[in-house]
Amino acid sequence: MSIDKITSTILAEAESEKERLLAEAKEQCDQIIKEAREKAEGISQNMVKKGNEEKEKIIERRRSVASIDAKKIILEKKQEILDQCFTGAIDRIINLPREEYIDYLVKVGVNSEMYGGLLTFNQKEHDSSTETFRIRRDSN
C-alpha cells in the first residue's frame, strides 16, 4: 500500500469520525435545547399560574375593601338622614305654636308606656308659664 493510499484511508476515517462526532454533538445540543425549552415552558406556565392566582387575590382583596367602603358610605348616609330627620323633628316640635306643642307633649305622655309621670317644661316654657301637667293612665 502506498503512502497516498494510507493517508487517504486515514483522512477518510478521520472525516468519517469527525462527521460521527459532529452528528453526536448536534444530537446532544438538540437534546439540551429541547430540555431547556421544556424547563423554560414549565417555569413560564408556573409563573403565569402564580401571576393569575396573585391577580385573583388582589382582585378579591380590592372587592372586599370596596364592599367595606360602600357599606361605610351607606352607613354614613343613613346616619346623615337620621340626623336630618331628628333635627327636623326637633325643629318642627320646638317651633310648634304653644298650644299645639302642649297638646303634642300631652299626647306623647298619654301614649307612652309609663303608668304615671310628671311632664315638666323646659326653662323657656317654665318662664312663660308655670303649668305642669300630670298624666295618669289607668292600667288595663
Side-chain angles (χ1 to χ4, degrees), residues 42-78:
I43 291 170
S44 176
Q45 288 176 354
N46 191 29
M47 296 303 284
V48 167
K49 181 181 174 188
K50 284 183 180 180
N52 286 334
E53 289 171 355
E54 187 62 27
K55 175 184 78 171
E56 290 301 320
K57 287 178 186 176
I58 290 169
I59 289 170
E60 186 57 35
R61 282 193 299 261
R62 290 196 178 161
R63 278 186 185 141
S64 295
V65 169
S67 175
I68 290 169
D69 288 345
K71 288 177 183 177
K72 284 180 184 178
I73 290 169
I74 290 169
L75 185 61
E76 287 173 7
K77 292 300 175 187
K78 284 181 179 180

Side-chain angles (χ1 to χ4, degrees), residues 22-132:
L22 281 174
E24 189 177 302
K26 184 172 179 353
E27 203 175 295
Q28 287 177 351
C29 182
D30 289 344
Q31 183 63 32
I32 290 169
I33 290 171
K34 179 183 173 191
E35 289 172 5
R37 282 190 179 140
E38 289 172 356
K39 186 174 181 179
E41 183 64 27
I43 291 170
S44 176
Q45 288 176 354
N46 191 29
M47 296 303 284
V48 167
K49 181 181 174 188
K50 284 183 180 180
N52 286 334
E53 289 171 355
E54 187 62 27
K55 175 184 78 171
E56 290 301 320
K57 287 178 186 176
I58 290 169
I59 289 170
E60 186 57 35
R61 282 193 299 261
R62 290 196 178 161
R63 278 186 185 141
S64 295
V65 169
S67 175
I68 290 169
D69 288 345
K71 288 177 183 177
K72 284 180 184 178
I73 290 169
I74 290 169
L75 185 61
E76 287 173 7
K77 292 300 175 187
K78 284 181 179 180
Q79 188 62 47
E80 283 179 28
I81 291 168
L82 284 172
D83 289 346
Q84 289 171 357
C85 288
F86 279 114
T87 301
I90 290 169
D91 289 344
R92 185 169 176 222
I93 292 168
I94 288 174
N95 292 318
L96 284 173
R98 180 152 175 81
E99 281 187 28
E100 286 181 40
Y101 179 70
I102 292 171
D103 287 345
Y104 172 76
L105 292 178
V106 169
K107 285 179 190 175
V108 168
V110 168
N111 292 329
S112 73
E113 294 296 319
M114 295 176 56
Y115 292 104
L118 180 66
L119 178 62
T120 306
F121 296 101
N122 64 28
Q123 190 63 44
K124 178 181 166 188
E125 284 87 22
H126 188 270
D127 291 344
S128 67
S129 171
T130 57
E131 297 175 79
T132 303

